[in-house]
């Protein structure tokens, strides 16, 4: 039976509620994984591997996105079980802080890679399902508003995590990291439960919706979407030459404490919260492509601004500018896919996008 409008509206309400624990969990993983690796004794090269390998394997497994969803039976069923498995993986991640053996960094990289593989597949299924919930005219406004709301939750989670590490670092640093990542696991369980309350939608099927990755690439000259994927991937490549090492730079070279480290990152997130609804409304008026072009001109300025001073307040200002620019870029990156790809092809095309962009 096709879901009613009331059921879809209820699912949209549940979606933003689910986004709150999900954002808090992702905030911990995104902003405290590198400090955790440094605490476990990782070298700068191993920090690079900690970021690179999970993203690489998470991207490669996007080739299986369509098959995984079909095997699960529905997008929603996969979302529920995929997020639950992520929570299970976070428990041994937390336990590494209390264990002492020579292979801790390698084990951490493996666990995070499995977590990232599931996360990327979950993101592909979630994006496909959410795009079917919303009409094209609703997407920019709703996703901008949702991004602001869950972003506030993420800021709150990052702030609590930073305070926990700062206060307990003097008492028991290992226990502080254990409690931090165990909390991330519990937040993911909560996210999985809320997803189970959403309504499922049947996947669409149309002629030409099944095509291989090589067939996708061969359409570069004809396909606006393939050009878009390679454009975003080139931006991602340039950004990741430096961005994973900014945390190492602050903690190891500038000797920032966890409060200073948290303040710099929160500056970007707070400005992003202000920017999301502004970008969303503007994108609905002028289109996602124009926003992407505007943001692309400003993104190269961000690493240049990091060169001139190591003062924490200066870097907070730089990250506020960064948060505003990236708020528009990230929001319109997702919205452009929903507009450019028909519903029947979204799982596959989002998967291929994540594959190329992640690599």
């Amino acid at each position: 039976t096709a879901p009613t409008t009331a059921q879809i509206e209820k699912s949209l309400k549940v979606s933003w509620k689910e986004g709150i624990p999900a954002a808090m969990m992702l905030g911990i993983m995104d902003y405290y994984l590198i400090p955790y690796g440094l605490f476990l004794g990782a070298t700068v090269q191993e920090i690079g591997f900690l970021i690179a390998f999970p993203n690489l394997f998470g991207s490669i497994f996007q080739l299986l996105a369509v098959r995984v969803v079909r095997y699960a039976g529905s997008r929603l069923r996969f979302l529920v079980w995929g997020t639950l498995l992520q929570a299970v993986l976070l428990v041994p991640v937390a336990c590494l802080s209390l264990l002492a053996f020579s292979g801790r960094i390698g084990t951490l990289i493996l666990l995070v890679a499995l977590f990232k593989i599931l996360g990327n597949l979950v993101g592909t299924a979630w994006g496909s399902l959410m795009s079917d919930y919303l009409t094209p005219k609703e997407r920019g406004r709703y996703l901008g508003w949702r991004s602001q709301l869950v972003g506030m939750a993420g800021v709150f989670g990052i702030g609590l995590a930073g305070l926990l590490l700062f206060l307990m670092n003097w008492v028991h640093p290992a226990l502080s990291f254990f409690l931090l990542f165990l909390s991330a696991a519990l937040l993911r369980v909560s996210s999985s439960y809320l997803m189970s309350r959403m309504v499922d939608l049947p996947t669409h099927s149309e002629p030409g919706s099944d095509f291989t990755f090589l067939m996708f690439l061969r359409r570069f000259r004809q396909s606006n979407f393939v050009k878009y994927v390679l454009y975003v991937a080139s931006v991602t490549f340039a950004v990741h030459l430096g961005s994973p090492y900014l945390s190492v730079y602050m903690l190891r070279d500038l000797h920032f404490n966890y409060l200073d480290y948290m303040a710099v990152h929160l500056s970007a997130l707070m400005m992003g919260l202000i920017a999301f609804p502004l970008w969303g409304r503007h994108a609905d008026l002028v289109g996602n492509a124009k926003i992407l072009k505007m943001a692309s001109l400003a993104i190269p300025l961000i690493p240049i601004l990091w060169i001139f001073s190591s003062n924490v307040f200066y870097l907070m200002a730089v990250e506020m500018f960064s948060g505003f620019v990236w708020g528009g870029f990230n929001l319109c990156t997702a919205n452009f896919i929903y507009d450019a790809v028909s519903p029947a092809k979204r799982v596959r095309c989002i998967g291929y996008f994540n594959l190329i962009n992640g690599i």
Side-chain angles (χ1 to χ4, degrees):
T1 305
T4 64
T5 303
Q7 287 177 311
I8 292 177
E9 290 177 353
K10 180 182 177 182
S11 295
L12 289 173
K13 291 179 181 178
V14 173
S15 173
W16 68 255
K17 293 178 182 177
E18 177 274 329
I20 293 174
M24 294 176 71
M25 180 275 301
L26 288 173
I28 293 172
M29 292 299 294
D30 288 345
Y31 292 96
Y32 293 101
L33 183 62
I34 292 176
Y36 188 38
L38 292 172
F39 169 76
L40 294 179
T43 64
V44 176
Q45 290 80 9
E46 287 171 333
I47 291 296
F49 297 149
L50 179 60
I51 300 301
F53 287 159
N55 279 294
L56 175 64
F57 291 111
S59 303
I60 291 172
F61 273 79
Q62 288 291 304
L63 289 170
L64 302 178
V66 174
R67 294 182 183 179
V68 167
V69 170
R70 285 177 179 172
Y71 180 79
S74 76
R75 289 173 290 185
L76 185 62
R77 186 178 295 119
F78 174 71
L79 289 174
V80 173
W81 284 102
T83 50
L84 197 58
L85 286 172
Q86 280 189 298
V88 171
L89 286 169
L90 287 174
V91 175
V93 168
C95 292
L96 287 176
S97 65
L98 304 177
L99 303 174
F101 59 96
S102 59
R104 285 199 302 180
I105 302 302
T107 304
L108 177 64
I109 292 173
L110 175 62
L111 291 170
V112 174
L114 294 173
F115 177 88
K116 190 71 175 180
I117 288 169
L118 284 169
N120 282 11
L121 292 171
V122 163
T124 298
W126 184 89
S128 173
L129 184 61
M130 286 299 299
S131 66
D132 284 352
Y133 282 157
L134 299 162
T135 65
K137 293 183 179 180
E138 296 173 326
R139 286 177 194 143
R141 188 178 299 274
Y142 175 82
L143 293 176
W145 172 79
R146 183 184 184 276
S147 297
Q148 183 183 45
L149 187 67
V150 301
M152 291 172 63
V155 167
F156 180 72
I158 293 168
L160 282 181
L163 287 173
L164 172 67
L165 293 179
F166 178 76
L167 295 174
M168 290 197 64
N169 191 52
W170 306 101
V171 182
H172 200 307
L175 183 60
S176 66
F177 276 109
F178 171 77
L179 293 175
L180 182 63
F181 285 95
L182 186 62
S183 299
L186 295 175
L187 288 167
R188 203 48 166 161
V189 170
S190 174
S191 172
S192 180
Y193 167 72
L194 288 169
M195 276 190 180
S196 68
R197 297 176 57 196
M198 294 165 60
V199 66
D200 201 8
L201 294 176
T203 54
H204 302 273
S205 181
E206 63 182 30
S209 62
D210 289 335
F211 48 90
T212 66
F213 182 60
L214 290 178
M215 292 168 64
F216 175 77
L217 292 178
R218 287 194 191 111
R219 287 184 50 79
F220 173 75
R221 291 185 178 180
Q222 297 84 18
S223 173
N224 186 51
F225 181 70
V226 177
K227 293 185 180 73
Y228 159 79
V229 171
L230 296 179
Y231 148 72
V232 175
S234 67
V235 174
T236 301
F237 174 79
V239 169
H240 278 76
L241 288 175
S243 62
Y245 302 102
L246 293 181
S247 294
V248 179
Y249 173 60
M250 285 188 283
L251 293 171
R252 181 168 289 182
D253 299 314
L254 301 183
H255 306 291
F256 282 6
N257 59 40
Y258 287 121
L259 284 183
D260 291 337
Y261 173 83
M262 176 188 69
V264 172
H265 282 304
L266 285 184
S267 299
L269 292 172
M270 292 295 290
M271 183 55 69
L273 297 182
I274 298 172
F276 277 134
L278 298 176
W279 286 122
R281 287 193 292 269
H282 195 54
D284 285 340
L285 295 174
V286 304
N288 294 296
K290 287 188 178 181
I291 303 297
L292 289 170
K293 292 173 184 177
M294 290 169 57
S296 296
L297 294 175
I299 286 173
L301 298 176
I302 299 168
I304 295 174
L305 293 173
W306 269 80
I307 294 172
F308 298 110
S309 174
S310 59
N311 180 273
V312 64
F313 296 105
Y314 171 80
L315 294 179
M316 287 172 65
V318 172
E319 285 302 286
M320 289 177 68
F321 172 71
S322 174
F324 181 79
V325 172
W326 279 107
F329 187 88
N330 290 333
L331 179 66
C332 293
T333 295
N335 287 349
F336 187 90
I337 298 176
Y338 304 149
D339 290 343
V341 179
S342 63
K345 299 178 182 178
R346 277 188 193 137
V347 171
R348 191 178 299 272
C349 285
I350 293 173
Y352 290 164
F353 167 80
N354 290 334
L355 168 66
I356 296 173
N357 193 49
I359 288 176

